[in-house]
Amino acid sequence: MIQEKGFLISYLKYGENDAVLHIFTHGEGYKSYFLKGIYSKRNKKKALLQFLFEVQFTTNPKASGLPVISDLQAHGILPEWNVKTNALQFFVADVLNNILRNEGSNDELYNEISGFIHEVKHDNISAHIHFLILLTENLGIKPLMNEAVYLNPEKGVFEPFVSHHLFDERVSQLWMEILNAGYTVKLNNEERRKLVESILVYYSVHIPEFKNPASLDVLQQIWA
């Protein structure tokens, strides 16, 4: 038996009562597991199926097929349902599910996700933007910093002239500020909208086969 903890990235119902869980674990990175009976009427642990909620569990590895979770518990206090903050977590989880499928154990990345959840719990409604810009360093695609004004998303460097319409002076400046000051940077609604668009462009250039997350529509509708 193996004990592990991790952040729930995505899940898929399998049959009437079972599910396949994709979890970014502390010890092994991105892993998939089979969980029996989670959707049965008497199972109260369905409440644990929240995007990026940290869970702890025990598995019995199989010689073939997915490892089976025999015990699933909350790692910490189960958060109250909040449609707006859950939309932020859904969006970030959707992006992570896109880019972490081949990621092994990574303490820095695990701590970054934990830091994002901490910010969301403390009502930072821009935390998804801060997190995804800061994550570029962990992914090895952080823009090169210098004294220039405009971020060139293709080259990943700041330049003295505009190279992409989404990366105007203000958006480029905010990228620079967040890379330097992290979660302390304050953003208004319009800045959040523009930055989300710029992040998706930047990721699509630097991460092979990156796709815009389906949850983007949910995020935009709830935070419009």
Side-chain angles (χ1 to χ4, degrees):
M1 305 295 281
I2 298 176
Q3 291 186 329
E4 183 59 282
K5 67 175 181 177
F7 292 99
L8 181 62
I9 301 295
S10 67
Y11 53 92
L12 178 67
K13 190 174 182 180
Y14 185 87
E16 289 296 320
N17 298 316
D18 307 329
V20 174
L21 274 53
H22 304 295
I23 300 175
F24 187 73
T25 69
H26 183 264
E28 297 186 82
Y30 188 99
K31 296 278 290 182
S32 299
Y33 301 92
F34 190 72
L35 181 61
K36 296 181 178 179
I38 188 66
Y39 285 104
S40 62
K41 293 181 179 180
R42 296 182 179 180
N43 195 332
K44 296 181 180 180
K45 292 187 177 180
K46 287 190 289 292
L48 298 179
L49 299 183
Q50 296 189 33
F51 294 106
L52 292 187
F53 182 58
E54 192 173 18
V55 294
Q56 58 189 30
F57 53 95
T58 303
T59 62
N60 186 7
K62 300 174 63 177
S64 61
L66 297 179
V68 177
I69 292 178
S70 58
D71 183 40
L72 183 70
Q73 303 288 339
H75 187 78
I77 300 173
L78 185 66
E80 295 183 4
W81 176 262
N82 181 311
V83 65
K84 289 195 170 184
T85 56
N86 274 81
L88 301 184
Q89 293 178 212
F90 180 26
F91 175 70
V92 168
D94 205 0
V95 173
L96 293 178
N97 194 49
N98 193 340
I99 65 179
L100 296 185
R101 290 181 178 272
N102 297 314
E103 187 74 30
S105 179
N106 187 323
D107 285 344
E108 291 184 2
L109 178 52
Y110 196 93
N111 291 335
E112 286 283 1
I113 298 173
S114 181
F116 164 69
I117 296 301
H118 174 81
E119 290 292 326
V120 171
K121 287 180 179 178
H122 287 80
D123 299 321
N124 181 351
I125 62 174
S126 301
H128 57 307
I129 294 167
H130 297 135
F131 171 77
L132 291 174
I133 290 179
L134 293 172
L135 188 63
T136 60
E137 180 171 10
N138 191 275
L139 297 175
I141 58 173
K142 178 183 175 181
L144 295 176
M145 312 282 277
N146 53 46
E147 299 300 319
V149 176
Y150 302 100
L151 176 56
N152 182 322
E154 292 191 8
K155 295 181 180 179
V157 64
F158 286 84
E159 296 179 332
F161 50 84
V162 178
S163 60
H164 192 288
H165 71 281
L166 287 178
F167 290 81
D168 59 18
E169 183 173 356
R170 181 55 180 158
V171 167
S172 298
Q173 177 188 21
L174 287 170
W175 268 76
M176 181 82 74
E177 290 180 5
I178 292 171
L179 288 168
N180 284 323
Y183 290 100
T184 63
V185 179
K186 304 299 182 183
L187 304 171
N188 61 39
N189 287 340
E190 183 65 12
E191 289 169 341
R192 279 191 288 271
R193 184 186 64 78
K194 289 183 177 181
L195 280 168
V196 166
E197 292 178 352
S198 72
I199 289 168
L200 295 179
V201 167
Y202 193 89
Y203 272 54
S204 66
V205 170
H206 293 277
I207 299 177
E209 300 182 358
F210 178 82
K211 299 177 182 178
N212 280 357
S215 58
L216 179 61
D217 289 340
V218 176
L219 182 74
Q220 291 173 334
Q221 290 176 16
I222 292 178
W223 285 100

